Amino acid sequence: MAAALMVSDVSIATSLRLGAVAELAKAEGPYDEGPISWRNPKPPGVYHLLIIGAGPGGLVAARAAAALGARVALIERHQLGGGCLNYGCIPSKTIIRTSRLYAEMRNAQYFGATPPAAVLVDFAAVMARMRRIRSRIGRADSAARLAAEGIALYFGNARFVGTDTVDVDGVCLRFRKAMIAAGSRPLLPAVPGLVQSGYLTSETVFDLTALPPSLLVMGGGPLGCELAQTFARFGSRTLIAHSEPLFLPQEERDAAQMVSDALARDGVEIHLNTSVVNVRLEAGRKVVELVSDGSVATTIVDEILTGVGRVPAVQGLNLEAAGVDYDDEGGVHVDDFLRTSNPRIFAAGDVCLEHKYTNTAQASARIVVRNALLFGRKRMSALTIPWCTYTDPEIAHVGLYVRQARERNIPVRTITIPMHEVDRAITDGEERGFVKIHVRDGTDRILGATIVARHAGDTINAISLAMVAGIGLRTLANVIHAYPTQGGAIRQAADAFMSTRRSRILSWLVRKWLQR
Ligand SMILES: Cc1cc2nc3c(=O)[nH]c(=O)nc-3n(C[C@H](O)[C@H](O)[C@H](O)COP(=O)(O)OP(=O)(O)OC[C@H]3O[C@@H](n4cnc5c(N)ncnc54)[C@H](O)[C@@H]3O)c2cc1C
């Protein structure tokens, strides 16, 4: 049966999406050969590993297991690549790049260039470029490639019908081990009138082909901050409403404040401590009531983007039949080895983890392959995982925050290098931000780091490497960096650490010498 028929369980919206994808594929090259002409394989018997969801987690696990020679089934009900490729990392980073270009063109004079008389934003072209890039990246995970790698790929909706059996649109697949990598979906805020008035989510905002003249972003987490800045740079009148006193609640306050300042500089209207309490439609526009500190304000916008969080996609999996414990907020319950309450079944990625990032989904999937197929005992808690919010400047973090170290009674010393002391940041006009490295006081052992800088996401990787390899600041002070680079700020931090240590030791020696 052709896959186009097999997705009949999935919502009409999804089918329309596949139709739209087919159109785009015709126009811009193959996006994913799967859903259009795919025929599911015939189940050969019992699979060694059955995986639900072909997002970053599912794809990594399928490839790793197939490379080991395991019989692998991978089931996807929507689009290969999951959230990351289709409506997450890839489309967002692609349009963020163009929005930065627009911001730089407006700022051309600063760099000694004559700005164009007017910077005209061609939003349709921006989105066409995004779709082309998404197609190109998606080809690495096409259905044909996966099949060639020995993965039995099924398009359809997976649901458990027993402790070792999954139904895919009427076909039963049996497994020795299974991994749930069903991902997450946008959380819909309970605001009266929102549904009736219409709204965008991260899953629909990348379908836009015309720039909304005005946009309200609900939520000041990574997604909300990234897209608010992006749309403001494209020229939408952009507002962001966040219920807390500062954006990016998990980040250190000074870092989050820098992101807030950056949004304000880009013209985003910032509403902190603010809740959206009502939306109604008037003459095709959305009239929004905002409450802040007890006072109500009204604003009118063309579009609303909800970015208040993501929830694990546990519905429809029929986890009860498999004896897998879960709850709607935290998702599938797993232990440190990523085992669920059914010893045959593991989970990875957004569906079970608090940190919902692609690198986390992939790293957890690798753990599952080792623990499920190779009797491994790899622990999720042993991983060092950095993350980044791709605003301008970016804000990246790895390891412990100071507050976490204090909660654990770990004495912390912090070394901070402001980017305005980093030569390459000065030459590039990218001086806003800092590199902050936390060490265990009295040692050079790195506990964590936060970087706010134009390229913080790239720079943080050196700190992750040091942490994983057990390299302390003393050794980092001996690492020669190419000059001038923004990553050199890490060496500057290590030098600053060593100079205070040296002077402490030196003054101790001098004291001893004088006391002879
Ligand atoms: C706008 C946005 C920007 C982001 N940017 C970044 C970023 O820059 N960096 C980063 O690290 N992360 C980013 N993320 C997060 C990242 O996209 C996710 O963490 C990542 O995709 C999670 O991977 P996953 O494999 O766990 O799940 P998903 O990517 O969600 O994949 C799950 C797959 O399972 C399928 N599925 C679900 N249920 C079933 C079923 N019953 N049967 C069959 N198939 C099923 C789904 O269709 C989906 O394809 C971003 C997210 C968003 C929304």
Side-chain angles (χ1 to χ4, degrees):
M1 195 189 349
L5 297 178
M6 285 189 292
V7 290
S8 57
D9 264 11
V10 189
S11 68
I12 291 171
T14 302
S15 308
L16 288 174
R17 205 178 174 79
L18 291 177
V21 169
E23 283 307 307
L24 291 174
K26 266 189 260 159
E28 294 167 356
Y31 177 68
D32 159 41
E33 304 99 278
I36 314 304
S37 58
W38 191 253
R39 282 178 191 280
N40 282 346
K42 284 204 168 62
V46 179
Y47 283 105
H48 295 126
L49 184 66
L50 177 146
I51 300 163
I52 299 178
L59 286 167
V60 158
R63 287 199 154 115
L68 290 171
R71 233 182 356 255
V72 181
L74 177 64
I75 309 161
E76 173 54 55
R77 68 175 170 191
H78 191 189
Q79 291 169 321
L80 296 174
C84 177
L85 174 69
N86 298 296
Y87 37 78
C89 330
I90 299 302
S92 62
K93 268 74 260 179
T94 310
I95 67 168
I96 283 171
R97 178 64 188 92
T98 314
S99 76
R100 195 207 309 164
L101 175 69
Y102 281 121
E104 286 181 342
M105 286 202 294
R106 290 188 194 103
N107 200 22
Q109 221 153 13
Y110 172 80
F111 292 97
T114 309
V119 176
L120 297 177
V121 175
D122 186 344
F123 188 73
V126 174
M127 297 309 258
R129 172 179 177 269
M130 180 274 289
R131 289 193 299 273
R132 272 197 310 277
I133 287 173
R134 191 169 58 179
S135 306
R136 182 172 155 205
I137 293 177
R139 268 174 237 156
D141 298 322
S142 71
R145 277 208 194 184
L146 295 171
E149 289 175 44
I151 296 162
L153 179 61
Y154 293 82
F155 281 99
N157 199 44
R159 55 191 293 278
F160 288 96
V161 289
T163 53
D164 66 352
T165 313
V166 158
D167 170 281
V168 184
D169 296 341
V171 176
C172 278
L173 309 184
R174 298 210 28 240
F175 60 83
R176 272 198 215 157
K177 295 283 167 58
M179 181 180 105
I180 305 167
S184 58
R185 60 178 173 81
L187 175 67
L188 179 63
V191 175
L194 181 65
V195 172
Q196 297 81 345
S197 306
Y199 60 94
L200 299 167
T201 68
S202 57
E203 297 189 356
T204 54
V205 68
F206 299 108
D207 294 340
L208 287 175
T209 49
L211 182 68
S214 55
L215 173 74
L216 168 70
V217 178
M218 290 176 67
L223 184 155
C225 289
E226 285 181 7
L227 292 182
Q229 186 178 47
T230 302
F231 277 85
R233 287 179 161 192
F234 285 143
S236 290
R237 175 188 158 233
T238 307
L239 302 81
I240 183 166
H242 184 57
S243 58
E244 297 185 41
L246 200 50
F247 299 125
L248 303 173
Q250 74 175 356
E251 301 300 344
E252 281 161 5
R253 300 297 70 203
D254 47 358
Q257 184 61 51
M258 283 197 155
V259 169
S260 183
D261 295 345
L263 296 194
R265 274 195 305 278
D266 277 307
V268 177
E269 293 173 33
I270 294 175
H271 298 266
L272 292 167
N273 283 320
T274 302
S275 304
V276 175
V277 293
N278 193 276
V279 184
R280 63 178 192 278
L281 208 52
E282 266 181 33
R285 303 189 76 203
K286 295 158 178 58
V287 182
V288 184
E289 277 176 31
L290 304 161
V291 172
S292 180
D293 292 332
S295 57
V296 183
T298 302
T299 189
I300 302 176
V301 291
D302 297 284
E303 292 288 0
I304 297 173
L305 170 64
T306 60
V308 293
R310 298 186 64 79
V311 285
V314 284
Q315 290 84 1
L317 288 167
N318 200 23
L319 294 168
E320 292 78 2
V324 171
D325 293 343
Y326 72 98
D327 67 87
D328 289 337
E329 217 176 292
V332 173
H333 297 180
V334 287
D335 64 12
D336 206 15
F337 304 102
L338 298 171
R339 293 177 303 205
T340 70
S341 48
N342 177 336
R344 286 175 183 271
I345 302 177
F346 292 69
D350 283 12
V351 79
C352 62
L353 299 176
E354 182 195 346
H355 292 296
K356 297 192 182 341
Y357 294 101
T358 287
N359 59 354
T360 315
Q362 292 174 330
S364 57
R366 287 191 190 99
I367 287 186
V368 167
V369 171
R370 289 180 73 156
N371 290 355
L373 297 183
L374 302 176
F375 308 103
R377 300 282 292 166
K378 289 280 278 181
R379 289 177 181 272
M380 193 60 204
S381 59
L383 298 183
T384 300
I385 301 182
W387 54 78
C388 183
T389 298
Y390 296 89
T391 42
D392 183 9
E394 297 175 354
I395 163 166
H397 179 83
V398 65
L400 292 183
Y401 292 101
V402 173
R403 63 172 183 280
Q404 291 174 322
R406 290 206 180 114
E407 279 159 21
R408 296 177 201 182
N409 291 321
I410 302 173
V412 186
R413 183 171 160 220
T414 299
I415 299 98
T416 305
I417 300 293
M419 293 309 285
H420 63 73
E421 290 179 8
V422 178
D423 291 355
R424 184 56 188 273
I426 300 171
T427 62
D428 289 355
E430 296 169 356
E431 296 178 47
R432 292 195 174 93
F434 54 74
V435 168
K436 216 194 238 191
I437 303 178
H438 311 304
V439 292
R440 191 186 178 102
D441 198 17
T443 75
D444 73 337
R445 202 185 118 217
I446 301 172
L447 297 171
T450 292
I451 300 179
V452 182
R454 170 57 79 80
H455 306 290
D458 283 322
T459 310
I460 200 85
N461 293 330
I463 305 277
S464 304
L465 172 66
M467 290 177 72
V468 171
I471 296 170
L473 280 189
R474 190 193 292 263
T475 308
L476 284 185
N478 288 322
V479 175
I480 299 168
H481 287 241
Y483 176 86
T485 54
Q486 296 200 15
I490 291 175
R491 161 77 191 258
Q492 284 178 239
D495 280 344
F497 169 81
M498 287 308 289
S499 66
T500 52
R501 256 180 96 81
R502 252 184 244 120
S503 58
R504 261 194 246 164
I505 294 167
L506 203 64
S507 55
W508 181 82
L509 281 174
V510 171
R511 251 196 331 269
K512 287 281 166 202
W513 174 255
L514 293 175
Q515 285 163 6
R516 268 178 315 133

